[in-house]
């Protein structure tokens, strides 16, 4: 999946080697666009929007996979397939389902973020409640526990075939972007020269949210576990917004000696969230990126023509 200035595009390779695309124009309501210009607030808005759109694109890829499996089953057991009731064509990507998938993506993100935010706080409280009174030290240990939980979780899921394949495509996306930014022609050979790490990755955001959380939580005292928990919940939007600003900063400084090291923790985490892609996976990523650029150019040209005509 690649996000352009005017359109988001996902490419999927079917089992017959055909590459199909899911193309969604980037339309944002005026009031949302205004929110995206406000520091701290724009990060939360962007994260919610990305969760919704990302879920839609993942759903498209899963549907393509399911269709391939159904067709393969039909070849093996044609009589069984004939007996099954036919579903309405194109019902999979109806507006109702797209909206439902978007909402599910947002809820899943919020629920997952709450679990990874609250569980380390509860564990730290249980283990070290009476060990010392230093709030900053409590928050630091909580952050360490959170990082450990995250690393264990990512390592375990990366062992499953489907997530490993997803992480390979993640790595392919990074390689394509790096090759494009280097000004090289987007061929498999050129793209494969680059590594799978990139400064603007969402994985970097995850690490930054832990570090920023430790700093922000240190300004607030608590007298009980429940007080500690609801402070975490209330401050979650602040942590997300500040982490987004920190991610923008580290990306701006990535070519500055010494300061570029601010982005290293996120790059280290990407060693878990990205895997080396195959040539075939790189081909799909190149196709998606090129299609995104093609549509972006078409939409931009149409906008210029409309303005000239008016």
């Amino acid at each position: 999946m690649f996000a352009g200035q005017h359109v988001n595009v996902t490419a999927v390779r079917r089992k017959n080697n055909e590459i199909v695309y899911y193309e969604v124009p980037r339309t944002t309501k005026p009031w949302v666009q205004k929110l995206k210009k406000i520091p701290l607030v724009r990060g939360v808005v962007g994260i919610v929007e990305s969760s919704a759109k990302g879920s839609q694109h993942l759903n498209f890829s899963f549907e393509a996979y399911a269709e391939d499996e159904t067709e393969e089953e039909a070849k093996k057991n044609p009589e069984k397939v004939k007996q099954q009731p036919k579903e309405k064509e194109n019902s999979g990507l109806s507006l109702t389902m797209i909206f439902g998938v978007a909402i599910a993506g947002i809820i899943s993100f919020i629920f997952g973020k709450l679990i990874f935010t609250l569980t380390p706080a509860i564990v730290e409280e249980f283990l070290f409640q009476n060990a010392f009174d230093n709030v900053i030290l409590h928050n630091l240990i909580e952050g360490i526990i959170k990082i450990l939980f995250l690393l264990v979780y990512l390592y375990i899921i990366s062992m499953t075939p489907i997530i490993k394949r997803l992480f390979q495509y993640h790595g392919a996306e990074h390689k394509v972007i790096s090759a494009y930014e280097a000004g090289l022609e987007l061929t498999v050979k050129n793209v494969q020269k680059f590594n799978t790490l990139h400064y603007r990755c969402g994985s970097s955001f995850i690490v930054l949210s832990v570090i920023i959380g430790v700093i922000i939580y240190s300004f607030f005292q608590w007298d009980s576990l429940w007080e500690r928990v609801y402070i975490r919940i209330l401050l979650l939007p602040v942590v997300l917004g500040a982490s987004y600003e920190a991610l923008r900063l580290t990306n701006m400084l990535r070519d500055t000696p010494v300061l570029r090291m601010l982005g290293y923790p996120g790059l280290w985490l990407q060693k878990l969230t990205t895997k080396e892609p195959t040539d075939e996976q790189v081909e799909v990523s190149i196709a998606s990126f090129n299609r995104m650029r093609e549509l972006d150019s078409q939409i931009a040209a149409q906008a210029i023509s409309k303005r000239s005509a008016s």
Side-chain angles (χ1 to χ4, degrees):
M1 172 187 170
F2 287 97
Q5 186 176 357
H6 304 289
V7 65
N8 294 335
V9 176
T10 288
V12 174
R13 188 192 294 276
R14 305 294 294 268
K15 284 197 173 180
N16 61 2
N17 280 327
E18 176 190 7
I19 295 179
V20 296
Y21 302 95
Y22 181 49
E23 304 156 357
V24 183
R26 297 187 68 174
T27 55
T28 305
K29 296 185 180 298
W31 64 272
V32 175
Q33 199 62 40
K34 291 180 180 178
L35 290 177
K36 285 185 175 182
K37 297 179 181 179
I38 304 174
L40 296 181
V41 175
R42 61 189 173 192
V44 178
V45 174
I47 292 165
V48 171
E49 192 175 51
S50 296
S51 299
K53 292 180 178 178
S55 298
Q56 295 172 23
H57 286 260
L58 275 176
N59 185 66
F60 169 76
S61 65
F62 286 140
E63 284 197 341
Y65 175 81
E67 287 178 13
D68 281 339
E69 291 298 309
T70 301
E71 290 174 4
E72 197 167 288
E73 181 67 22
K75 292 177 181 178
K76 295 178 180 178
N77 303 291
E79 294 301 322
K80 181 180 178 181
V81 174
K82 286 181 181 179
Q83 296 172 2
Q84 294 177 349
K86 292 185 178 180
E87 297 180 358
K88 292 182 180 180
E89 292 185 1
N90 299 324
S91 61
L93 291 175
S94 65
L95 289 176
T96 302
M97 175 166 282
I98 289 175
F99 180 76
V101 170
I103 295 298
I106 295 172
I107 293 175
S108 298
F109 170 78
I110 294 174
F111 183 71
K113 188 60 182 174
L114 283 175
I115 289 178
F116 272 101
T117 297
L118 301 183
T119 303
I122 294 171
V123 171
E124 198 281 334
E125 183 83 10
F126 177 77
L127 295 176
F128 301 99
Q129 178 182 9
N130 301 315
F132 43 82
D133 296 325
N134 190 308
V135 174
I136 295 178
L137 188 55
H138 276 294
N139 288 329
L140 184 60
I141 295 176
E142 177 187 335
I144 293 172
I145 294 173
K146 190 178 298 184
I147 288 291
L148 290 175
F149 277 14
L150 179 64
L151 293 178
V152 171
Y153 169 75
L154 289 175
Y155 177 76
I156 291 175
I157 66 171
S158 68
M159 303 287 284
T160 63
I162 189 168
I163 298 299
K164 180 181 178 182
R165 187 169 179 80
L166 181 66
F167 286 175
Q168 284 179 298
Y169 274 111
H170 189 192
E173 291 171 347
H174 286 183
K175 284 179 173 239
V176 168
I177 293 174
S178 295
Y180 174 74
E181 291 176 340
L184 297 180
E185 181 185 358
L186 294 183
T187 64
V188 173
K189 184 177 180 180
N190 285 342
V191 170
Q192 287 285 36
K193 294 176 183 177
F194 293 86
N195 63 43
T196 61
L197 312 182
H198 198 278
Y199 266 81
R200 288 198 303 272
C201 178
S203 302
S204 300
F205 173 82
I206 296 173
V207 174
L208 285 171
S209 68
V210 175
I211 298 172
I212 298 296
V214 170
I215 296 172
I216 292 178
Y217 297 148
S218 297
F219 289 95
F220 297 85
Q221 297 279 349
W222 67 85
D223 297 320
S224 66
L225 174 60
W226 296 114
E227 188 174 339
R228 185 176 187 177
V229 166
Y230 79 69
I231 286 176
R232 297 296 184 272
I233 295 175
L234 290 176
L235 291 176
L236 185 56
V238 179
V239 172
L240 293 177
S243 301
Y244 178 81
E245 301 302 326
L247 181 63
R248 285 168 58 94
L249 179 63
T250 57
N251 184 56
M252 290 169 55
L253 300 174
R254 61 176 175 168
D255 295 322
T256 305
V258 181
L259 293 179
R260 71 193 317 269
M261 291 189 296
L262 292 172
Y264 283 5
L267 295 177
W268 294 334
L269 184 62
Q270 288 177 43
K271 291 182 179 294
L272 280 178
T273 61
T274 63
K275 301 292 183 184
E276 279 294 331
T278 64
D279 288 349
E280 289 75 16
Q281 290 168 331
V282 169
E283 285 178 356
V284 175
S285 289
I286 292 173
S288 178
F289 189 79
N290 286 337
R291 182 59 177 165
M292 178 272 293
R293 292 184 62 206
E294 178 187 349
L295 292 176
D296 251 6
S297 298
Q298 291 177 6
I299 296 173
Q302 291 170 3
I304 292 174
S305 298
K306 287 181 180 178
R307 285 198 296 267
S308 300
S310 61

